[in-house]
Amino acid sequence: MGLMDRVEAGIGERKLIRRGDLVLVAVSGGGDSIALLHVLHGLSTRGGFRLGVVHVHHGLRGREADADAEWVKMTSWRLGLACVVHGVDVRARAKELGESVEMAARRARHEVFAMESERQGAASVALAHHRGDQAETVLLRMARGAGVEGLSGMAPRQVFQGWVAIRPLLNERSCELRGFLAAHGLGWREDSSNAEREATRNRVRHELLPWLERNLNPAVEATLVRMAEVFREEGGLLEQRTKRLLAGVRSGMRVKAGALLRLPVADQRRVIQGWLFESGVPPGVIGFEGVEATRGLAGRGGRSSFDLGEGFRVQVAGGELSVEKVAEMKTFSPVELEGEGRWRIEELGWEVEVESGVGFQRSGGKVGQVPAEVYLSARAVKGKTMRVRSVQAGDRIYPTGMTGSVKLQDLFVNEGIPREERGRIPVLEVGGKVAWVCGYRVDRRFAVEGPDAGSVRCGVFRVREG
């Protein structure tokens, strides 16, 4: 069975597209998205659906990205399809929001897809995720300790806020997609950033998966994809069970602690996850630690509470659990540190000073207090972007003198720092990784190698008047 026949069968089996639907195809210009566009174009006539094309120009790769946009527009024109190109300054957005470029780019794409879905009345947006992407996703989530839902990977159909994603190529290999293009004399664009090893997903793609194929299982990609499908199907059954159990322990938007604790532990965890999600807590905030803390809270008498993260607090009172939104965390605008010099954190009235040297000095202090300083390995810092920013959800540090890592949220809780003040504690980021929290110990990945090794000193102090 050829590629088009397999995709058509998958679309029908999963009911991804119906007759009369308008489907927007997200086309980057790369081989996978170009293959998706041509396959869906070939199937659209007999499938009775219509196509449009949407391209997001992230403003990150200069002329190369300009050429990608022109390629997508020309390819769409040749197929007789309308193409919409949205330009977004992702780097500026990342700086403004205090998040990674990758996260800002993903957020921008989702906003564009939602906007165009509403404007054009599209039933869905087709994404070119394939079997390799699915395997990478499962590995990344596995490394982060995901449960059944996380290990189910990307779904063939997924509902987001304001738009619906479909993934008709999830069972296809990237090499087969490019073989399809080559066999039909169809060209595509190569994104040079896909070869860079800085991004975690690229390291999984170029290093981890090939190593696993060579040393563990030659068919590891297919195995991970099958595992994701099994988890997705089992997750569906567990979700139905969880909904029934949650209905039995709820009292309005609250949960009866005693009834919750009478359930098996696995059911307790799933019920808590479902309840927190229905209470408006984002999935990325809940986490295993939050679920366990909620279970512990349910077993306490009297009145008690803990901060879950991102302004959500879970409390127990009168034998019932509830969730409330607390005061917003105060933050400050991120500051890029380029070379040596001084920079102001205007909202705090503080300054950051960076200078090069040799060796290091040990300095004590308390998290968040100034003045404070840290010495980083010049080798570890070389060529990487440095900036000072507020804490972000999921931030972790690997402190010197300790094994494992510490979530910054847990660090702040242990230090007794009120939630609304945590965003005002400077976090030093190097190459997208947390290197230091003001007043705390250095991340061991950036520790100076010895007294004679090159170092970079970063100090934080109050603005010197006059």
Side-chain angles (χ1 to χ4, degrees):
M1 185 182 293
L3 174 64
M4 291 187 66
D5 292 330
R6 293 197 302 272
V7 173
E8 183 178 35
I11 288 174
E13 180 183 351
R14 296 182 173 89
K15 299 180 174 59
L16 300 183
I17 303 175
R18 299 169 301 180
R19 282 190 170 274
D21 279 354
L22 169 61
V23 178
L24 299 180
V25 187
V27 183
S28 65
D32 304 326
S33 65
I34 292 292
L36 173 65
L37 177 61
H38 282 282
V39 167
L40 290 183
H41 182 260
L43 296 175
S44 60
T45 301
R46 63 188 189 216
F49 56 88
R50 297 170 294 130
L51 295 180
V53 176
V54 59
H55 174 83
V56 181
H57 188 319
H58 299 102
L60 295 174
R61 294 178 290 112
R63 293 181 179 178
E64 180 182 336
D66 295 338
D68 289 348
E70 289 302 318
W71 178 272
V72 173
K73 287 193 287 187
M74 183 58 68
T75 302
S76 303
W77 176 78
R78 287 173 177 159
L79 294 174
L81 301 175
C83 175
V84 178
V85 175
H86 281 266
V88 184
D89 189 343
V90 166
R91 206 175 299 280
R93 287 176 57 123
K95 185 174 182 179
E96 177 185 351
L97 297 172
E99 60 187 9
S100 68
V101 170
E102 291 77 13
M103 180 61 70
R106 183 175 185 271
R107 191 189 303 274
R109 289 194 297 273
H110 283 214
E111 290 175 1
V112 168
F113 298 156
M115 182 192 315
E116 287 301 325
S117 292
E118 181 179 4
R119 188 180 71 84
Q120 299 189 43
S124 59
V125 179
L127 306 179
H129 294 127
H130 51 72
R131 196 168 82 176
D133 296 320
Q134 183 75 301
E136 293 159 16
T137 297
V138 172
L139 278 175
L140 286 166
R141 293 181 180 178
M142 187 185 301
R144 293 167 184 157
V148 172
E149 287 79 5
L151 296 179
S152 66
M154 295 178 287
R157 184 180 186 275
Q158 186 173 1
V159 179
F160 291 97
Q161 186 172 359
W163 65 289
V164 176
I166 61 171
R167 300 180 175 95
L169 303 181
L170 268 186
N171 290 322
E172 304 299 330
R173 299 169 62 194
S174 182
C175 61
E176 292 171 339
L177 300 177
R178 290 164 191 258
F180 168 83
L181 293 175
H184 291 82
L186 303 170
W188 65 88
R189 298 278 300 171
E190 291 289 354
D191 183 343
S192 60
S193 66
N194 287 335
E196 297 173 358
R197 303 299 172 95
E198 187 64 32
T200 303
R201 183 175 284 272
N202 284 355
R203 292 200 298 275
V204 171
R205 178 179 305 156
H206 298 300
E207 297 173 10
L208 180 56
L209 268 173
W211 186 92
L212 292 173
E213 288 174 347
R214 290 193 305 270
N215 298 283
L216 186 63
N217 179 0
V220 67
E221 184 180 281
T223 300
L224 288 168
V225 171
R226 284 198 303 271
M227 184 182 78
E229 187 169 351
V230 169
F231 276 126
R232 191 159 53 248
E233 292 168 350
E234 293 183 352
L237 293 176
L238 287 172
E239 184 178 2
Q240 294 175 24
R241 173 183 171 86
T242 300
K243 286 180 178 179
R244 291 196 302 270
L245 293 175
L246 177 55
V249 301
R250 286 180 67 157
S251 174
M253 287 304 294
R254 298 172 181 265
V255 164
K256 293 173 281 189
L260 173 70
L261 294 177
R262 285 194 289 273
L263 299 175
V265 171
D267 286 326
Q268 290 178 31
R269 289 173 175 153
R270 292 187 61 84
V271 164
I272 289 170
Q273 284 180 321
W275 169 63
L276 291 175
F277 180 72
E278 289 187 8
S279 299
V281 182
V285 176
I286 298 171
F288 181 78
E289 293 89 349
V291 170
E292 290 303 282
T294 303
R295 289 182 59 232
L297 198 65
R300 297 179 194 170
R303 185 183 185 92
S304 187
S305 67
F306 76 95
D307 287 341
L308 185 62
E310 291 195 11
F312 291 92
R313 178 176 295 157
V314 182
Q315 63 181 11
V316 63
E320 291 186 335
L321 293 164
S322 61
V323 180
E324 64 175 356
K325 195 82 165 64
V326 296
E328 290 295 325
M329 184 170 63
K330 302 172 185 175
T331 60
F332 62 89
S333 302
V335 178
E336 300 287 336
L337 309 178
E338 301 175 1
E340 297 184 75
R342 284 185 183 173
W343 294 266
R344 281 198 179 196
I345 306 176
E346 297 292 349
E347 295 94 329
L348 304 182
W350 295 355
E351 281 187 340
V352 181
E353 182 179 64
V354 177
E355 62 179 9
S356 299
V358 175
F360 61 93
Q361 296 180 16
R362 300 190 183 279
S363 56
K366 187 175 180 181
V367 174
Q369 285 190 345
V370 293
E373 65 179 12
V374 68
Y375 290 80
L376 307 177
S377 163
R379 178 190 56 78
V381 168
K382 184 178 180 181
K384 296 183 174 67
T385 301
M386 293 179 59
R387 66 173 182 161
V388 172
R389 59 166 174 80
S390 295
V391 64
Q392 296 174 3
D395 273 346
R396 286 181 177 271
I397 190 169
Y398 295 77
T400 53
M402 297 175 60
T403 58
S405 64
V406 175
K407 286 184 67 173
L408 296 199
Q409 177 184 320
D410 295 339
L411 173 64
F412 294 152
V413 169
N414 293 338
E415 292 288 327
I417 299 170
R419 183 189 180 277
E420 57 269 21
E421 295 298 326
R422 296 171 192 169
R424 297 173 66 83
I425 297 176
V427 174
L428 177 61
E429 178 188 280
V430 179
K433 299 173 182 175
V434 174
W436 180 57
V437 179
C438 183
Y440 193 55
R441 62 187 75 181
V442 67
D443 186 294
R444 58 180 177 268
R445 296 171 294 183
F446 297 93
V448 181
E449 294 83 354
D452 299 322
S455 62
V456 175
R457 185 185 74 86
C458 181
V460 180
F461 48 86
R462 300 187 187 283
V463 171
R464 299 168 186 172
E465 299 298 337

